[in-house]
C-alpha cells in the first residue's frame, strides 16, 4: 500500500528476558509513515512486552529502537512521548478519581503562570474529541465511565501529547462492534493525517479489515509477515498458533432442563443511582447457553453484579433453583453452585500480587482440600494449580509466579480455569474470551459447551456477536435495561441482532 | 486426594529471596547511620566514639543486652500490630493509643486485685490490657468499615483521646495515693501480676517471640490470613471472592489493637511495674518504624525491634560518653523510616529493580 513510505519506527533485534521467560527474542520490525501495522500472536507471545519497550516502559536486554532512522535510548515513557510515541495500554492507566480532563492533561499540564489553565486544556480536549469523533464528557469522573469510554480518554490523552505514532494494545477487546467500527474510522482518519499506528488484536477479522501489514509473533519471535490481501482468517490463525484452528464451535443441539436462574421483574440502579435495569425478567435453564447480547452500558454489567450478589437489588427477585437469592451475600450465591467470570479481570477477578496458584483458589480457598479448618493446605493449592495450568495452557514460568507478571490473555485464562473447573449449576460468564487468542478461544468454547452438556445453565454476556452466535442456544437482547427480544439462536441473524441492540422494535423487523 | 509429586523445597531460592528481602532494610539502616555520623561530626563530636558507646550501651554487656530486650519487647508487639494492619491494607497509626490503654488497664488489674495466684493474675492483666487495645482499635475499624472514615485520621484522633484519658486516670481515680507521691502514676502492680524472667530472659520477650510466630502463621498459613491479605491487596477482588470485606477490616483493626494493647500490658507488667504517663511515649510510633523496617514480615519484626531497642538502650550511654545528645537516635530512626518508606531511593542506590511481590501500601488510595 505505502511500500515506499519512510520508516518512522524500527525495532532491531530486540531481546527481553523476564525471570523464567524469554519474552522477546531478536525481534525486528518496522513501522512506516501513515500505515496500520497489525501485530498478531498467541497469549504470551510477547506483543505487549515489545510495545512496552518501544514506549520506554521496559528496557530491552539487547537490540535497539530507531525513531525516524535515529537510534534512541528510551529511558521512560516521557522520552517516548517526546519522540511522538503514544500508547494505549491493554489495561488502562487512568486515575479513577480524577475527571476525564484532569486525566488527559495529567503530566502535560498547560499552565498560566503557576496555575493550571483548565479552560484552555478543556478547549483543546473538546476540539480533539470533535475532530476525531471521540465523544466524552470532560467533567465526568473516570471511575464512572464505561471501559469503552475510558479507552477514548486514553486515545485523546495520546493525541493531546501530539503523538504521531500510536500504539494500541488490544483496543477493541473492550469495545462493542459499533464502537469498533467507530474506532476504525478514527484510526483511518488518523493515518490519513500522517499518524502511524501499531495495532494489536486477537480478532482476525479486524486485522484483515484494518491493517496495511501484519506481523506475527510466536513465543517471542517474529514468525512471519504478510498483507491482508494475501491472508485469510484461517491462514493467520495457523501462523499464530502453529497448527490449524477450528474457528467454529462444534456442538450438538441443547437439551434444556429445569429453570436454574430466574430473574423476576428485576430493577437495579447503577453506581450513580440511575435506574439501569428496569423490571427485567429472564430465565436460564439447565443445559442451555443463554446469550445476553447488548451494547455495553445497557445494564448487563449491573445485571450480572446483582445476580452474583455484588449489587443491591432495588426491586424484583433473583431465584436460583427456585430459591430466593435476592440480596444474598456473594459467598452464599457462589456456594449455591454459581460460578462467575467477571467483566473486569484485573479489578475483580484477580489479586495481581498473588501467585497464579492462590488466584486459582480465590473463591474456594476455604474448602477442602485447600483448607482443613482454618489451616490452608499449600500443597493442595499448588497441586490444583499445576493441573489447571496444564489443562488450560496458561503460559507462566510456574504456579508461584505472581499473576501480575502474566500476559493479559493468560490472566484471563487463570480466571476461566478457576471458574470452569468448578462443578456448578450456573455459570455466569461476562466477556469470557476477552483478550484471548484464537487457539485458546477454541478450547474455552469447548469447555463452556461441555459444561452445558453436563447440565450447567450458562448465562453468557458478551459484546462479541460472533461469540454469542457461536455459543448460545437462545439469545436475549438487552436494551436500556430491558429484554427487548428473546430468540432461538438458529433463527437469529447478525443484522437482526444488531438492529435490536440498537433499539429497533422487534415487531418492526 | 492423590498427589503427583510434592514440589521440592527450593532452599537456595528461599535463601536468596531472604537475602534480597533483607537488603533494602539493611541498606536503609546503614545509610541512616552514615548520615547520623555526619550530623554527629558536624556537631563537633567523634562519631566513632559515639557509635561505639551506643553499641556498648545496647549490646556491650549482659546488662546492656537485658536493657535492649526490655526496650525491644513492647516494640515487637507494636511492630506486629502495625504489620498485621498493613497486611489488611490499613495504616494503624493508633498503636500508641491502643498501647496506652493496654498499659493502664493492665496496671489497674495488677494493683486493684490482691491475692490472686501469680499465673492467673498476670494472665488476666495481660488479657484485659490486650482487650482494651482491641476495643480502642475497634472504634477506628468500625468507622472505616461502615462510614469509610480513613483509619489514619481516626486513629490519630483516638491517640489524643487515649493520651488524655490515661493521663487523667493516672492522675485521678487510679492515682497512686502512697504518701509522698505527687506525680501522676498508678500504684505498683501486685507481685503476682508482674512478669518474671525465665533463665535471664524476660518472660515478655519469650511471649513476644511466640506471638510473632503466631501472627506469621495466622497471616501466611490460615484462611483468615488469606482473607486479610486479599482485602489488603484488592478489596474489590475480595468482595468478588465472597470475602466479607467490612468484617475483615474490623477484625484486622481489632487484632492489631489487641497486639498493641498486649504490648502495653507487657511493658507495664514486665518493665515499669505500674502505669506512669510518659514512660511509653513514642512506643507506638517506633512500632511503625519497626513494622516498616521489617517490611511487614512478622518474623522480621523481631530483629527490627531488637535493632531499634538496642539503639534506644544505648542512647544514654552514648550521651554520657561522647556528649552527643541522645535525641540523635530519634533522628537516625526517622532517617531509617524515611529510607524504608521511600525504598525507591534505595533501589536507585543499589541499582536493583523493585520486587513487586511484597509491596507495602502506605496509603489505601487508588494507587496502592
Ligand atoms: N513484568 C513482567 N514480569 C515477568 N514476566 C513478564 C512480565 N511481563 C510479561 N511477562 C512475560 O512475558 C511473556 C510475554 O508477555 P506479553 O504480555 O508481552 O504477551 P502478549 O503477547 O502481550 O500476550 P497477550 O495476548 O496475552 O496480551 C509472558 O510469558 C509473560 O508472562
Ligand atoms: Mg498483551
Amino acid at each position: 500500500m505505502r511500500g515506499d513510505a519512510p520508516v518512522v519506527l524500527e525495532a532491531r533485534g530486540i531481546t527481553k528476558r523476564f525471570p523464567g521467560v524469554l519474552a522477546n527474542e531478536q525481534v525486528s520490525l518496522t513501522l512506516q509513515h501513515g500505515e496500520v501495522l497489525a501485530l498478531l500472536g498467541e497469549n504470551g507471545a510477547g506483543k505487549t512486552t515489545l510495545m512496552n519497550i518501544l514506549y520506554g516502559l521496559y528496557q530491552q536486554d539487547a537490540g535497539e529502537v530507531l525513531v525516524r532512522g535515529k537510534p534512541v535510548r528510551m529511558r521512560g515513557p516521557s522520552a517516548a512521548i517526546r519522540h511522538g510515541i503514544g500508547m494505549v495500554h491493554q489495561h488502562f492507566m487512568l486515575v479513577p478519581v480524577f475527571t476525564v480532563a484532569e486525566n488527559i492533561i495529567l503530566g502535560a499540564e498547560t499552565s498560566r503562570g503557576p496555575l493550571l489553565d483548565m479552560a484552555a486544556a478543556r478547549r483543546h480536549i473538546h476540539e480533539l474529541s470533535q475532530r476525531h469523533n471521540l465523544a466524552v464528557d470532560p467533567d465526568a469522573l473516570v471511575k464512572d465511565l464505561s471501559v469503552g469510554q475510558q479507552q477514548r480518554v486514553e486515545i485523546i490523552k495520546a493525541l493531546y501529547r501530539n503523538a504521531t505514532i500510536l500504539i494500541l494494545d488490544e483496543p477493541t477487546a473492550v469495545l462493542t462492534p459499533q464502537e469498533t467500527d467507530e474506532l476504525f474510522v478514527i484510526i483511518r482518519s488518523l493515518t490519513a493525517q500522517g499518524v502511524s499506528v501499531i495495532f494489536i488484536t486477537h480478532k482476525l477479522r479486524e486485522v484483515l479489515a484494518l491493517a496495511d501489514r501484519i506481523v506475527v509473533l510466536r513465543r517471542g519471535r517474529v514468525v512471519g509477515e504478510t498483507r491482508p490481501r494475501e491472508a485469510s482468517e484461517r491462514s493467520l490463525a495457523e501462523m499464530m498458533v502453529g497448527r490449524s484452528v477450528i474457528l467454529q464451535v462444534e456442538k450438538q443441539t441443547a437439551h434444556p432442563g429445569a429453570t436454574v436462574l430466574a430473574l423476576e421483574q428485576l430493577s437495579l440502579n447503577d453506581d450513580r443511582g440511575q435506574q439501569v435495569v428496569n423490571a427485567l425478567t429472564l430465565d436460564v435453564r439447565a443445559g442451555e447457553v443463554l446469550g445476553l447480547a447488548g451494547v455495553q452500558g445497557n445494564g448487563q454489567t449491573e445485571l450480572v453484579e446483582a445476580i452474583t450478589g455484588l449489587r443491591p437489588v432495588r426491586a424484583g427477585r433473583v431465584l436460583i433453583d427456585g430459591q430466593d437469592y435476592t440480596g444474598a451475600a456473594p459467598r452464599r450465591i457462589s456456594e449455591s453452585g454459581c460460578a462467575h467470570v467477571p467483566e473486569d479481570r484485573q479489578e475483580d477477578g484477580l489479586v495481581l500480587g498473588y501467585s497464579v496458584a492462590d488466584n486459582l483458589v480465590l473463591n474456594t480457598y476455604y474448602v477442602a482440600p485447600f483448607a482443613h479448618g482454618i489451616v490452608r493446605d499449600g500443597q493442595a493449592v499448588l497441586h490444583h494449580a499445576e493441573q489447571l495450568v496444564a489443562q488450560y495452557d496458561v503460559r507462566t514460568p510456574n504456579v508461584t509466579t505472581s499473576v501480575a507478571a502474566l500476559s493479559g490473555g493468560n490472566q484471563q485464562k487463570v480466571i476461566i480455569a478457576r471458574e470452569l473447573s468448578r462443578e456448578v449449576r450456573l455459570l455466569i460468564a461476562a466477556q469470557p474470551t476477552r483478550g484471548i487468542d484464537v487457539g485458546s478461544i477454541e478450547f474455552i468454547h469447548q469447555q463452556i459447551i461441555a459444561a452445558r452438556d453436563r447440565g450447567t445453565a450458562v448465562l453468557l454476556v458478551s459484546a462479541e456477536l460472533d461469540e454469542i452466535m457461536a455459543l448460545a442456544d437462545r439469545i436475549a437482547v438487552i436494551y436500556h435495561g430491558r429484554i427487548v427480544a428473546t430468540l432461538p439462536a438458529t433463527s437469529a441473524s447478525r443484522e437482526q441482532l444488531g438492529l435490536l441492540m440498537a433499539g429497533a422494535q422487534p415487531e418492526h423487523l | 486426594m492423590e498427589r503427583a509429586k510434592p514440589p521440592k523445597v527450593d532452599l537456595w531460592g528461599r535463601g536468596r529471596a531472604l537475602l534480597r528481602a533483607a537488603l533494602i532494610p539493611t541498606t536503609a539502616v546503614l545509610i541512616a547511620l552514615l548520615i547520623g555520623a555526619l550530623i554527629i561530626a558536624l556537631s563537633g563530636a567523634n562519631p566513632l566514639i559515639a557509635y561505639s558507646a551506643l553499641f556498648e550501651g545496647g549490646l556491650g554487656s549482659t546488662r546492656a543486652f537485658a536493657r535492649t530486650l526490655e526496650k525491644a519487647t513492647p516494640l515487637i508487639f507494636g511492630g506486629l500490630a502495625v504489620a498485621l494492619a498493613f497486611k489488611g491494607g490499613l495504616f494503624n497509626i493508633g498503636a500508641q493509643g491502643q498501647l496506652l490503654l493496654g498499659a493502664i488497664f493492665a496496671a489497674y488489674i495488677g494493683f486493684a486485685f490482691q491475692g490472686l495466684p501469680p499465673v492467673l493474675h498476670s494472665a488476666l492483666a495481660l488479657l484485659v490490657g490486650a482487650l482494651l487495645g482491641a476495643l480502642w482499635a475497634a472504634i477506628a475499624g468500625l468507622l472505616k468499615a461502615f462510614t469509610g472514615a480513613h483509619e489514619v485520621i481516626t486513629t490519630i484522633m483516638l491517640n489524643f483521646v487515649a493520651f488524655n484519658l490515661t493521663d487523667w486516670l493516672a492522675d485521678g481515680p487510679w492515682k497512686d495515693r502512697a504518701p509522698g507521691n505527687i506525680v501522676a502514676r498508678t500504684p505498683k502492680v501486685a507481685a503476682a501480676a508482674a512478669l518474671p524472667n525465665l533463665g535471664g530472659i524476660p518472660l515478655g520477650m519469650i511471649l513476644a517471640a511466640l506471638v510473632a510466630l503466631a501472627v506469621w502463621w495466622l497471616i501466611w498459613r490460615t484462611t483468615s490470613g488469606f482473607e486479610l491479605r486479599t482485602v489488603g491487596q484488592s478489596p474489590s477482588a475480595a468482595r468478588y471472592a465472597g470475602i466479607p470485606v467490612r468484617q475483615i477490616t474490623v477484625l484486622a483493626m481489632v487484632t492489631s489493637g489487641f497486639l498493641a494493647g498486649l504490648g502495653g500490658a507487657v511493658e507495664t507488667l514486665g518493665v515499669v511495674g505500674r502505669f506512669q504517663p510518659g514512660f511509653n511515649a513514642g512506643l507506638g510510633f517506633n512500632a511503625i518504624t519497626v513494622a516498616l523496617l521489617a517490611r511487614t514480615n512478622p518474623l522480621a519484626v523481631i530483629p527490627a525491634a531488637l535493632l531499634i531497642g538496642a539503639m534506644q538502650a544505648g542512647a544514654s550511654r552514648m550521651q554520657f560518653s561522647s556528649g552527643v545528645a541522645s535525641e540523635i537516635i530519634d533522628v537516625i530512626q526517622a532517617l531509617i523510616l524515611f529510607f524504608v518508606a521511600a525504598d525507591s531511593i534505595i533501589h536507585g542506590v543499589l541499582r536493583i529493580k523493585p520486587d513487586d511481590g511484597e509491596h507495602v501500601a502506605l496509603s489505601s488510595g487508588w494507587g496502592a
Side-chain angles (χ1 to χ4, degrees):
Chain A
M1 210 172 171
R2 296 180 180 84
D4 48 353
V7 170
V8 291
L9 183 65
E10 179 175 359
R12 268 192 206 157
I14 299 281
T15 296
K16 176 74 186 174
R17 195 180 295 276
F18 289 114
V21 209
L22 192 54
N24 286 156
E25 188 179 0
Q26 291 288 329
V27 175
S28 298
L29 58 77
T30 57
L31 175 68
Q32 292 171 1
H33 180 83
E35 77 167 340
V36 177
L37 174 70
L39 199 55
L40 267 182
E42 287 177 290
N43 297 129
K47 306 179 294 293
T48 300
T49 303
L50 183 64
M51 295 304 109
N52 281 339
I53 288 170
L54 296 179
Y55 190 58
L57 276 171
Y58 294 156
Q59 310 294 311
Q60 67 270 31
D61 299 331
E64 58 179 351
V65 178
L66 295 89
V67 179
R68 293 181 193 83
K70 280 204 227 47
V72 290
R73 186 89 200 156
M74 227 71 88
R75 293 211 179 276
S78 52
I81 291 165
R82 264 203 313 283
H83 286 106
I85 303 175
M87 178 160 176
V88 177
H89 290 87
Q90 196 166 354
H91 302 109
F92 301 145
M93 309 224 164
L94 300 171
V95 185
V97 294
F98 279 15
T99 66
V100 167
E102 285 165 346
N103 263 287
I104 290 172
I105 65 163
L106 190 67
E109 297 88 350
T110 33
S111 52
R112 202 165 40 195
L115 301 174
L116 270 183
D117 191 352
M118 258 336 244
R122 294 190 45 200
R123 266 199 309 280
H124 190 180
I125 292 167
H126 185 72
E127 189 243 329
L128 280 173
S129 63
Q130 286 285 307
R131 178 142 50 104
H132 299 291
N133 276 316
L134 289 155
V136 281
D137 171 6
D139 298 318
L141 291 181
V142 161
K143 69 181 167 77
D144 294 330
L145 298 185
S146 72
V147 252
Q149 291 169 318
Q150 291 188 23
Q151 177 178 70
R152 277 182 232 163
V153 177
E154 290 273 20
I155 295 177
I156 299 177
K157 197 172 164 179
L159 296 175
Y160 189 86
R161 286 159 178 71
N162 303 315
T164 55
I165 297 170
L166 201 55
I167 299 172
L168 303 173
D169 194 352
E170 295 191 37
T172 59
V174 290
L175 299 185
T176 61
Q178 287 87 335
E179 286 174 318
T180 300
D181 292 343
E182 288 164 25
L183 177 68
F184 283 12
V185 172
I186 293 163
I187 291 176
R188 289 207 184 90
S189 99
L190 286 171
T191 50
Q193 293 170 40
V195 175
S196 318
V197 176
I198 301 183
F199 182 88
I200 299 179
T201 183
H202 288 293
K203 298 175 195 168
L204 305 175
R205 191 146 42 85
E206 295 176 354
V207 174
L208 295 175
L210 186 70
D212 295 309
R213 253 174 348 117
I214 304 163
V215 168
V216 180
L217 287 182
R218 195 193 311 150
R219 301 201 178 242
R221 306 232 294 237
V222 175
V223 291
E225 186 185 322
T226 180
R227 287 174 184 279
R229 60 188 132 76
E230 297 153 9
S232 66
E233 289 192 32
R234 190 160 296 279
S235 73
L236 288 176
E238 267 190 58
M239 240 168 128
M240 272 173 66
V241 183
R243 62 172 166 91
S244 69
V245 174
I246 307 157
L247 296 168
Q248 268 299 315
V249 204
E250 286 166 24
K251 58 169 189 175
Q252 312 296 315
T253 44
H255 301 287
T259 297
V260 174
L261 174 70
L263 306 177
E264 293 179 352
Q265 300 284 322
L266 203 63
S267 294
L268 306 169
N269 287 353
D270 65 9
D271 289 334
R272 301 192 205 180
Q274 305 285 332
Q275 179 159 349
V276 283
V277 171
N278 202 338
L280 180 144
T281 296
L282 188 68
D283 287 344
V284 189
R285 296 165 67 187
E288 74 163 351
V289 178
L290 181 93
L292 188 64
V295 175
Q296 186 115 41
N298 274 281
Q300 52 275 69
T301 304
E302 289 80 3
L303 188 66
V304 168
E305 286 174 350
I307 299 170
T308 52
L310 296 169
R311 177 173 295 276
V313 171
R314 247 198 51 196
R317 296 204 300 167
V318 178
L319 304 178
I320 300 173
D321 277 330
Q323 280 209 43
D324 194 343
Y325 280 91
T326 318
R331 175 66 48 92
R332 233 192 100 217
I333 294 170
S334 153
E335 286 178 344
S336 78
C338 170
H340 173 202
V341 176
E343 182 181 331
D344 190 339
R345 62 178 168 227
Q346 292 210 327
E347 184 65 16
D348 297 327
L350 297 168
V351 177
L352 289 176
Y354 276 2
S355 65
V356 171
D358 275 346
N359 272 292
L360 284 169
V361 294
L362 198 59
N363 45 16
T364 48
Y365 63 90
Y366 61 99
V367 293
F370 309 125
H372 312 288
I374 67 156
V375 184
R376 299 187 70 209
D377 185 337
Q379 294 296 327
V381 171
L382 290 179
H383 180 69
H384 171 76
E386 304 275 2
Q387 281 184 337
L388 289 188
V389 160
Q391 193 185 345
Y392 286 82
D393 188 25
V394 180
R395 304 271 167 91
T396 174
N398 54 60
V399 296
T400 53
T401 302
S402 99
V403 91
L406 263 54
S407 79
N410 282 300
Q411 292 180 353
Q412 180 72 3
K413 284 196 205 171
V414 170
I415 300 177
I416 293 280
R418 179 180 69 215
E419 300 303 323
L420 288 192
S421 62
R422 295 165 60 200
E423 261 324 308
V424 290
R425 295 279 299 137
L426 174 63
L427 169 65
I428 298 174
Q431 326 291 349
T433 55
R434 174 178 284 173
I436 288 195
D437 68 51
V438 282
S440 305
I441 286 179
E442 171 192 353
F443 176 73
I444 290 169
H445 282 176
Q446 284 164 358
Q447 294 299 306
I448 292 178
I449 293 303
R452 178 202 78 170
D453 292 341
R454 288 195 302 271
T456 303
V458 181
L459 175 62
L460 172 75
V461 182
S462 181
E464 281 301 299
L465 268 186
D466 288 335
E467 181 159 60
I468 298 248
M469 308 259 311
L471 288 179
D473 302 307
R474 279 193 304 143
I475 300 174
V477 180
I478 188 170
Y479 180 74
H480 281 334
R482 286 174 191 278
I483 301 295
V484 290
T486 309
L487 1 149
T490 42
S491 72
S493 69
R494 273 186 81 88
E495 293 67 36
Q496 187 189 10
L497 290 173
L499 286 169
L500 285 168
M501 284 161 65
Q505 295 299 308
E507 55 268 27
H508 295 263
L509 290 176
Chain B
M1 71 186 278
E2 243 188 13
R3 275 171 209 159
K5 53 171 193 287
K8 274 195 233 90
V9 181
D10 178 10
L11 277 181
W12 169 239
R14 276 196 192 175
R16 266 207 347 214
L18 199 68
L19 272 183
R20 237 188 99 91
L23 195 58
I24 301 287
T26 313
T27 316
V29 170
L30 289 179
I31 295 182
L33 284 173
L34 222 65
I35 298 178
L38 214 69
I39 298 173
I40 294 174
L42 281 177
S43 75
N46 184 335
L48 279 179
I49 296 178
Y51 278 172
S52 66
L54 180 67
F55 182 82
E56 257 171 52
L59 299 164
S61 63
T62 335
R63 265 200 43 208
F65 187 62
R67 223 174 18 246
T68 293
L69 287 186
E70 211 167 73
K71 297 271 184 205
T73 304
L75 284 177
I76 295 179
F77 287 105
L80 289 172
V82 177
L84 181 129
F86 267 136
K87 288 283 188 233
L90 297 163
F91 194 175
N92 180 10
I93 293 195
Q96 180 69 44
Q98 295 141 24
L99 195 142
L100 284 175
L101 281 169
I104 199 166
F105 273 82
Y108 174 73
I109 300 293
F111 73 74
F113 298 89
Q114 299 290 337
L116 289 178
V119 176
L120 185 72
H121 199 174
S122 46
L124 184 71
L126 286 175
L127 184 70
V128 170
L131 286 178
L132 259 292
L135 193 76
W136 205 243
I139 303 172
L142 288 167
L143 284 171
K144 167 92 175 187
F146 292 96
T147 70
H150 203 290
E151 75 281 2
V152 167
I153 309 292
T154 53
T155 53
I156 289 178
M157 298 302 189
L158 285 166
N159 276 347
F160 285 114
V161 181
F163 288 141
N164 291 306
L165 182 66
T166 51
D167 274 3
W168 171 72
L169 283 172
D171 205 17
W174 293 351
K175 186 170 180 164
D176 182 8
R177 302 284 173 201
N181 176 43
I182 48 162
V183 300
R185 66 178 197 198
T186 67
K188 255 192 123 40
V189 300
L195 296 178
N197 282 10
L198 287 187
I201 301 173
L203 181 60
M205 183 70 205
I206 298 169
L207 209 60
L210 290 177
V211 170
L213 268 174
V215 170
W216 178 87
W217 181 79
L218 184 78
I219 289 175
W220 291 108
R221 289 288 183 266
T222 69
T223 54
S224 315
F226 186 81
E227 289 168 346
L228 176 82
R229 290 184 288 121
T230 307
V231 170
Q233 297 232 349
S234 168
S236 50
R239 226 162 76 82
Y240 160 84
I243 296 169
V245 175
R246 287 178 176 179
Q247 202 174 310
I248 297 292
T249 299
V250 176
L251 261 174
M253 272 316 271
V254 165
T255 315
S256 176
F258 185 92
L259 292 167
L262 191 58
V266 166
E267 169 89 341
T268 293
L269 304 175
V271 181
V272 188
R274 56 157 55 97
F275 181 86
Q276 184 158 353
F279 266 53
N280 355 47
L283 254 178
F285 303 111
N286 291 335
I288 296 171
T289 308
V290 168
L292 287 175
L293 187 57
R295 313 206 91 202
T296 72
N297 177 334
L299 295 180
V301 159
I302 299 176
L306 284 171
L307 178 81
I308 302 291
M311 284 176 33
Q312 305 249 316
S316 50
R317 174 68 171 262
M318 179 183 73
Q319 178 158 19
F320 181 74
S321 344
S322 65
V324 176
S326 61
E327 279 76 17
I328 189 73
I329 294 303
D330 296 334
V331 175
I332 294 174
Q333 274 183 33
L335 286 167
I336 293 177
L337 182 59
F338 175 80
F339 284 114
V340 277
D343 58 357
S344 54
I345 298 178
I346 308 239
H347 284 125
V349 170
L350 298 176
R351 297 187 185 285
I352 54 172
K353 281 182 214 149
D355 51 336
D356 26 29
E358 276 289 281
H359 195 80
V360 179
L362 282 182
S363 78
S364 36
W366 55 272

